[in-house]
Amino acid sequence: MFSGVTGLINRGQKLKGTVVLMRKNVLDINELTSAQSATGIIGGAIGVIGGAIGTTVDTLTAFLGRSVALKLISATSADASGKGKVGKQTFLEGVITSLPTLGAGQSAFDIHFEWDTDMGVPGAFYIENFMQVEFYLVSLTLEDVPNQGTIQFPCNSWVYNSKLYKSDRIFFSNKTYLPGDMPAPLKKYREDELVILRGDGTGERKEHERIYDYDVYNDLGNPDSNARLARPVLGGNTTFPYPRRGRTGRKPTKTDPKSESRSDSVYLPRDEAFGHLKSSDFLVYILKSASQNVIPQLQSALPLVGQTEFNTFEDVRDLYEGGIKLPTNILSDLSPIPLFKELFRTDGEQALKFPVPKIIQVDKSAWMTDEEFAREMIAGLNPHVIKVLKEFPPQSKLDKQLYGDNTSTITKQHVESSLGGVTVEEAISNNKLFILDHHDPLFPYLRTVLFLQNDGTLKPVAIELSKPNPQGDNYGPISTVYTPTKQGVDGSIWQLAKAYVVVNDSCFHQLVSHWLNTHAVVEPFVIATNRHLSVVHPIHKLLLPHYRDTMNINALARNVLVNAEGIIESTFLWGGYSLEMSAVVYKDWVLTEQALPNDLLKRGVAVEDSSSPHGVRLLIEDYPYAADGLEIWGAIKSWVEEYVSFYYKSDAAIVQDSELQAFWKELVEVGHGDKKNESWWPRMQTRAELVQTCSTLIWIASALHAAVNFGQYPYGGYILNRPTLSRQFMPEKGSKEYDDLAKNPEKVFLNTITGKKETLTDLTIIEVLSRHASDEQYLGQRGDGDNWTADTAPIEAFKRFGKKLVEIEQKLIQRNNDERLRNRYGPAQMPYTLLYPSSEEGLTFRGIPNSISI
């Protein structure tokens, strides 16, 4: 690519450049995580931003003089060792006050490099920071390079004082190379940079470091604080296999040498902790603030205002209509936080009022209908669990010697009266029976059988709830079957039975569908990519947008969400066994089955059909998640196919790519090492395998996560619709609870599900988790514009991908306007919009971000 260029640059020529960076005090929110109060965290961040201009240490002029030095490295001319020649040290010059391409918070500086004839064409550069404070380097642009024009160097990295590094920081131009195509003078630089990023696997990591390494989940508990806070190690053992997380190197606990000690701040490779510019973007830190400060204050206020339990459904709705009256001192602590400003009543009342969840915006009682209950299994928060029912009664895979006979006790007599005149056999042969089966992995065990009606909607026909046998597990469970009834006590019993289903489905959603199957399984990919795929590697560039903030939010989750007695354990039924149970489910995780078409085929809700647009035909034709998801999946795969075919001209090129092979080997053997012996792993020998794997990963990080995340508050913000706890067993005839159910069904329902204290916790957290930040990067967008590669064809292909997503969104809008598709909106009049690719900031119930960032 650079042949014939050497000698075209005249001796003594100076190359003009522009350096763009961001000062530390503009991006300082990540330094505020140890603040002692919510007001300190958020208010401090706002103060930092407001006072960014004119600070004494970090002003723009501090970067001038001999504060920041750069040296260009040749891509075409080597020194005696074979490495690209290094140019003379050059310092930043004047501040550029007007540059149209500058982003918010960015500053630009002039620089001129001495670059003689024998130096060839620049392909990389060193940078040294002689200041005590770090800065965020955005880019270097060289202009009017002879026979090259403009050369872009995208950087997007924190640069600390040079004394903290063992070798100078290096950045490469935006040219993209497979390892075998790298210009020879740059090969050693490329290899050395990857060695630095891998580290040596020892010691406790420091803030400035960029090292990516693996560890097991051994930091969830805090046994040194209290024995009840001890948690088993997840990963590295057959009992609790798990994906790996990022290694921090913190010291082991005194009580348990296998567990890692906890700390308020968790090490992240520095560039994974990129800050945000606006206070509304600090969702991760608002989340931390809420969990550590806001929620305890809200809970402590409940006894003071005499509101410890819900007594009626109206009490629940009052969270959104009247609000919770709070003592003045608590209001003053919460009022500076941007998110919570929105929750205050505007009529002068001292009350905190939550946004009205979408599920009750049109109809306050639609959630109680059987149709909405069933619809949310295909268009709700957890729409990828329902399966076709192929055998009756439903069977179990549990070991009979250990758990007894777990064959379902649902009989034909239970269901045939609800099948519209067809028999069970006819319904099964015509693919009309489906099951939401949480029996084997969960406790209490349960199954829900549904019938696909002629109008395309699903109808629940039986719910089986099972309890462990008091004589022992090997005697098999004690099961009761409930069938639909609308009137009297039996109608209230049926409503409770549906609540038990939702409680367990909520647990499965939060710990498996959401945490395990998106957050946890992606982190090893982030680590392996950075350890083995150079920043100039095409697959690194393809996947990078889909990793943004993932390690960051996962680290926070281990600190306040999924840790011992954290938010999840405190508010969900699985309690202290939450992560353990997700580890049990991980035993059955298969990467290739995460691709949407394969998932649909595995669950039997689709069949192979070469005449269908995506090779599969849905058995539930009006299946919003699947129908919309297939459109997004198809667009992702087409984009990846076009991209991969540009850089890999044959399958042999895949085999010969040393970085790709090292990445894949380590991903399988270490990142997901507990499953390394599984036969289903792709061998990564063909372009088809690479395309399918990258498409699946992008699908998981973008669309799948969006589908299971951004509906949390719209559906679950109304706790009656998505309860997370069951506090007592189903009332039995002759019991006091059964009599109470006849007298006051609402009170019994409320005493059974999530309590008021836990509801406040749940709502506060999922309201944050369901939001988009204002600087969100959505599928089909990149934060680095067209500068991420120097190759025109991939840029044009990516633009076509973006246009395709715009077309898909219009198609989905049209579907939601088709009144024949009843599952699109349901009794709640709540159109399915979670897979619309675009969104605005805030609580929108739509939008597919590139990555798992919240």
Side-chain angles (χ1 to χ4, degrees):
M1 186 176 290
F2 289 109
S3 60
V5 173
T6 303
L8 291 176
I9 301 176
N10 296 326
R11 182 170 299 278
Q13 167 110 19
K14 283 204 171 186
L15 295 182
K16 182 181 184 303
T18 301
V19 173
V20 177
L21 54 80
M22 301 176 80
R23 292 158 291 142
K24 178 179 183 290
N25 60 2
V26 175
L27 291 168
D28 221 10
I29 184 60
N30 287 303
E31 304 305 315
L32 300 171
T33 58
S34 61
Q36 295 302 307
S37 70
T39 305
I41 291 177
I42 308 302
I46 295 170
V48 167
I49 292 172
I53 305 300
T55 51
T56 57
V57 179
D58 200 12
T59 59
L60 294 180
T61 56
F63 289 89
L64 305 179
R66 302 181 68 84
S67 297
V68 180
L70 285 78
K71 291 180 285 189
L72 294 179
I73 303 171
S74 177
T76 58
S77 183
D79 59 20
S81 69
K83 296 175 66 176
K85 291 182 177 179
V86 180
K88 294 181 179 179
Q89 188 179 62
T90 309
F91 295 92
L92 298 184
E93 299 170 7
V95 178
I96 302 175
T97 55
S98 61
L99 192 65
T101 56
L102 277 185
Q106 296 179 353
S107 303
F109 298 83
D110 280 320
I111 192 167
H112 291 83
F113 297 91
E114 290 187 21
W115 195 248
D116 293 336
T117 304
D118 63 348
M119 298 297 287
V121 177
F125 71 91
Y126 281 134
I127 188 167
E128 294 176 275
N129 175 10
F130 300 114
M131 301 183 296
Q132 293 306 306
V133 66
E134 67 271 23
F135 59 85
Y136 189 79
L137 182 63
V138 177
S139 65
L140 165 67
T141 303
L142 297 180
E143 303 169 17
D144 301 323
V145 180
N147 207 39
Q148 296 291 312
T150 300
I151 299 179
Q152 301 280 355
F153 296 81
C155 305
N156 299 311
S157 181
W158 289 95
V159 179
Y160 279 70
N161 183 278
S162 59
K163 292 182 180 179
L164 293 173
Y165 300 117
K166 294 179 180 179
S167 58
D168 291 344
R169 291 296 310 278
I170 189 172
F171 295 93
F172 297 91
S173 77
N174 66 344
K175 290 180 169 59
T176 306
Y177 301 104
L178 293 174
D181 298 331
M182 191 77 173
L186 293 179
K187 282 188 175 181
K188 190 64 167 63
Y189 292 108
R190 175 174 179 159
E191 294 166 359
D192 289 347
E193 176 71 353
L194 287 173
V195 170
I196 291 171
L197 290 170
R198 288 194 287 270
D200 62 6
T202 64
E204 184 171 355
R205 298 274 65 87
K206 303 296 190 293
E207 175 195 302
H208 68 275
E209 293 178 326
R210 302 155 53 236
I211 293 172
Y212 292 80
D213 205 352
Y214 305 93
D215 209 340
V216 294
Y217 278 73
N218 61 353
D219 63 342
L220 301 172
N222 190 3
D224 287 350
S225 173
N226 194 302
R228 76 171 189 278
L229 298 179
R231 294 294 180 271
V233 175
L234 306 185
N237 62 81
T238 56
T239 305
F240 299 119
Y242 223 64
R244 300 300 187 262
R245 62 167 176 93
R247 180 184 178 275
T248 68
R250 291 178 294 189
K251 295 178 180 178
T253 62
K254 297 175 182 177
T255 308
D256 177 12
K258 293 182 179 179
S259 294
E260 183 175 279
S261 58
R262 295 173 57 80
S263 56
D264 186 55
S265 61
V266 181
Y267 166 78
L268 288 168
R270 188 61 180 99
D271 294 337
E272 299 295 333
F274 177 72
H276 295 276
L277 283 170
K278 298 180 181 179
S279 60
S280 59
D281 293 330
F282 303 154
L283 295 181
V284 168
Y285 297 103
I286 291 175
L287 183 61
K288 182 169 186 175
S289 165
S291 63
Q292 295 184 343
N293 304 283
V294 177
I295 288 170
Q297 292 201 59
L298 289 178
Q299 292 178 345
S300 66
L302 291 182
L304 299 177
V305 294
Q307 300 175 354
T308 56
E309 281 285 357
F310 297 119
N311 292 306
T312 66
F313 290 176
E314 188 63 36
D315 286 351
V316 179
R317 289 193 289 271
D318 204 43
L319 292 175
Y320 325 104
E321 296 167 359
I324 303 173
K325 292 186 177 181
L326 297 173
T328 305
N329 64 313
I330 292 180
L331 283 173
S332 63
D333 285 343
L334 301 183
S335 59
I337 304 175
L339 172 64
F340 292 96
K341 281 183 180 179
E342 299 180 22
L343 305 185
F344 287 115
R345 288 265 298 266
T346 56
D347 57 5
E349 286 284 333
Q350 292 182 337
L352 196 66
K353 185 172 68 172
F354 288 90
V356 180
K358 208 167 185 67
I359 189 68
I360 57 168
Q361 284 181 5
V362 176
D363 188 325
K364 295 179 181 178
S365 59
W367 65 274
M368 301 179 72
T369 65
D370 287 357
E371 183 178 343
E372 182 60 30
F373 168 74
R375 186 189 80 94
E376 291 186 23
M377 298 181 195
I378 55 174
L381 262 185
N382 206 22
H384 61 149
V385 180
I386 188 172
K387 300 183 295 186
V388 73
L389 184 59
K390 282 297 187 183
E391 54 185 359
F392 194 91
Q395 302 295 306
S396 170
K397 295 180 181 178
L398 294 176
D399 187 329
K400 288 189 176 182
Q401 289 189 329
L402 294 177
Y403 300 103
D405 187 0
N406 277 264
T407 301
S408 174
T409 59
I410 300 174
T411 66
K412 293 179 182 180
Q413 288 72 28
H414 285 126
V415 301
E416 284 193 337
S417 61
S418 300
L419 300 186
V422 303
T423 66
V424 166
E425 290 79 9
E426 290 170 334
I428 287 177
S429 65
N430 291 316
N431 295 312
K432 294 288 188 179
L433 282 184
F434 295 83
I435 185 168
L436 184 72
D437 194 351
H438 287 317
H439 182 278
D440 285 5
L442 303 188
F443 165 80
Y445 318 113
L446 75 164
R447 297 179 174 104
T448 306
V449 176
L450 305 106
F451 176 63
L452 180 61
Q453 303 181 105
N454 291 334
D455 63 2
T457 64
L458 289 168
K459 174 185 179 181
V461 296
I463 294 172
E464 180 183 38
L465 302 180
S466 304
K467 293 187 292 187
N469 196 307
Q471 298 181 61
D473 288 344
N474 59 314
Y475 285 88
I478 298 174
S479 302
T480 306
V481 177
Y482 302 90
T483 55
T485 310
K486 292 184 178 180
Q487 304 299 324
V489 178
D490 288 342
S492 299
I493 288 285
W494 174 246
Q495 202 67 39
L496 272 177
K498 290 190 293 182
Y500 283 103
V501 172
V502 175
V503 166
N504 282 275
D505 192 62
S506 294
C507 292
F508 193 89
H509 159 260
Q510 196 63 261
L511 275 303
V512 178
S513 302
H514 187 200
W515 168 254
L516 173 66
N517 286 349
T518 64
H519 286 259
V521 301
V522 167
E523 185 156 347
F525 283 90
V526 182
I527 299 169
T529 297
N530 283 279
R531 284 170 60 87
H532 291 288
L533 298 180
S534 165
V535 292
V536 302
H537 194 288
I539 302 304
H540 184 117
K541 294 189 178 190
L542 172 68
L543 298 177
L544 183 62
H546 306 289
Y547 294 158
R548 183 178 189 243
D549 278 343
T550 298
M551 290 187 71
N552 195 355
I553 186 63
N554 286 2
L556 176 74
R558 298 200 312 274
N559 247 20
V560 301
L561 292 179
V562 299
N563 59 304
E565 296 190 358
I567 298 298
I568 299 299
E569 288 194 4
S570 302
T571 59
F572 283 80
L573 179 65
W574 294 1
Y577 298 99
S578 294
L579 265 286
E580 284 184 42
M581 295 183 77
S582 73
V584 172
V585 177
Y586 177 65
K587 292 179 180 180
D588 295 324
W589 181 82
V590 178
L591 173 64
T592 53
E593 292 176 352
Q594 307 310 303
L596 180 59
N598 293 347
D599 167 58
L600 297 172
L601 292 171
K602 176 195 175 187
R603 292 188 286 119
V605 294
V607 293
E608 292 184 351
D609 183 353
S610 59
S611 65
S612 296
H614 307 286
V616 295
R617 177 173 55 84
L618 296 175
L619 297 182
I620 305 174
E621 186 177 346
D622 182 14
Y623 188 163
Y625 162 75
D628 295 1
L630 285 171
E631 300 285 349
I632 302 298
W633 166 265
I636 291 171
K637 190 170 183 183
S638 293
W639 147 241
V640 174
E641 283 176 333
E642 197 167 355
Y643 184 86
V644 167
S645 66
F646 179 82
Y647 289 106
Y648 296 91
K649 302 305 181 186
S650 67
D651 290 343
I654 299 288
V655 178
Q656 294 163 7
D657 185 340
S658 57
E659 288 183 4
L660 181 67
Q661 295 303 320
F663 154 78
W664 190 245
K665 185 176 189 296
E666 187 174 274
L667 185 280
V668 173
E669 295 182 358
V670 183
H672 282 278
D674 296 334
K675 303 185 77 67
K676 64 183 177 182
N677 295 321
E678 302 282 0
S679 60
W680 48 256
W681 283 107
R683 295 173 58 240
M684 204 52 69
Q685 302 290 297
T686 67
R687 286 176 294 176
E689 287 179 320
L690 179 59
V691 167
Q692 185 74 2
T693 299
C694 290
S695 299
T696 302
L697 178 58
I698 293 171
W699 162 261
I700 293 171
S702 59
L704 178 59
H705 179 259
V708 300
N709 182 75
F710 293 103
Q712 289 189 82
Y713 192 84
Y715 283 113
Y718 193 52
I719 200 67
L720 302 181
N721 184 58
R722 293 289 296 180
T724 61
L725 287 170
S726 51
R727 296 184 283 170
Q728 58 189 25
F729 288 118
M730 183 69 86
E732 297 181 3
K733 286 186 178 181
S735 67
K736 178 182 181 300
E737 290 78 13
Y738 191 90
D739 294 338
D740 290 343
L741 195 61
K743 300 172 186 174
N744 192 343
E746 286 191 7
K747 181 61 176 174
V748 173
F749 189 94
L750 291 166
N751 286 345
T752 301
I753 66 165
T754 316
K756 189 166 191 175
K757 182 177 73 171
E758 293 80 11
T759 295
L760 287 179
T761 301
D762 191 41
L763 265 58
T764 303
I765 294 301
I766 65 173
E767 210 269 348
V768 180
L769 293 177
S770 302
R771 286 177 165 263
H772 293 291
S774 67
D775 67 343
E776 194 87 84
Q777 294 173 13
Y778 296 94
L779 197 62
Q781 302 174 352
R782 288 187 72 115
D784 42 11
D786 292 344
N787 295 330
W788 56 278
T789 181
D791 297 319
T792 303
I795 290 175
E796 293 304 314
F798 186 70
K799 290 179 179 177
R800 287 192 292 275
F801 174 48
K803 290 178 181 177
K804 180 63 176 177
L805 291 169
V806 172
E807 294 171 5
I808 289 172
E809 184 165 308
Q810 291 304 311
K811 188 174 185 179
L812 304 191
I813 291 171
Q814 290 174 2
R815 284 179 182 170
N816 280 335
N817 291 331
D818 188 343
E819 293 185 359
R820 295 170 301 173
L821 303 177
R822 291 180 55 173
N823 296 328
R824 303 294 310 187
Y825 49 90
Q829 298 295 306
M830 186 178 178
Y832 187 74
T833 58
L834 284 172
L835 290 177
Y836 284 11
S838 71
S839 178
E840 297 176 349
E841 175 187 1
L843 199 62
T844 64
F845 190 54
R846 60 179 289 170
I848 303 176
N850 275 324
S851 62
I852 303 166
S853 56
I854 191 67

